[in-house]
Amino acid sequence: MANHKSSIKRIRQEKKRTLHNKYYAKTMRNAVRKLRALTNKDEAAKLYPTVQKMLDKLAKTNVIHKNKAANIKSSLSIHINKLG
């Protein structure tokens, strides 16, 4: 167990922050999954900007790495272009 007041506070903050980050990361994964499941190009193209915005925000706040966000956006755009 932590002995210093500051380390006890740090543990409290980290728990709260971890819970917050997990929620948004899970929400992002569900949105990506939903977009990949679409087979209609128009619907997918309509949903893509919202998912892209979500990825950019999470990368900016370091919930996910910026390169991971770029890789996901790239693969999603390829998926949308392949739809007929």
Side-chain angles (χ1 to χ4, degrees):
M1 184 63 202
N3 294 325
H4 297 284
K5 258 188 172 179
S6 61
S7 58
I8 293 169
K9 180 179 178 182
R10 178 72 53 214
I11 290 168
R12 269 199 327 265
Q13 288 175 329
E14 284 172 0
K15 280 183 187 175
K16 188 175 181 182
R17 201 172 294 126
T18 301
L19 191 64
H20 178 267
N21 289 346
K22 275 186 180 178
Y23 170 77
Y24 283 104
K26 185 69 175 175
T27 305
M28 179 267 305
R29 283 197 303 272
N30 288 337
V32 170
R33 210 174 285 133
K34 183 179 177 184
L35 183 59
R36 283 203 176 116
L38 291 176
T39 54
N40 187 352
K41 188 171 186 170
D42 294 332
E43 289 178 25
K46 197 179 290 184
L47 184 62
Y48 180 68
T50 58
V51 174
Q52 185 178 11
K53 185 178 178 183
M54 187 184 300
L55 287 165
D56 288 337
K57 279 185 176 181
L58 293 178
K60 187 172 118 180
T61 56
N62 292 322
V63 175
I64 59 171
H65 196 272
K66 63 183 177 107
N67 292 350
K68 180 179 178 142
N71 288 336
I72 292 172
K73 288 192 294 186
S74 174
S75 69
L76 288 176
S77 65
I78 290 168
H79 170 72
I80 290 170
N81 288 332
K82 283 184 180 177
L83 292 175

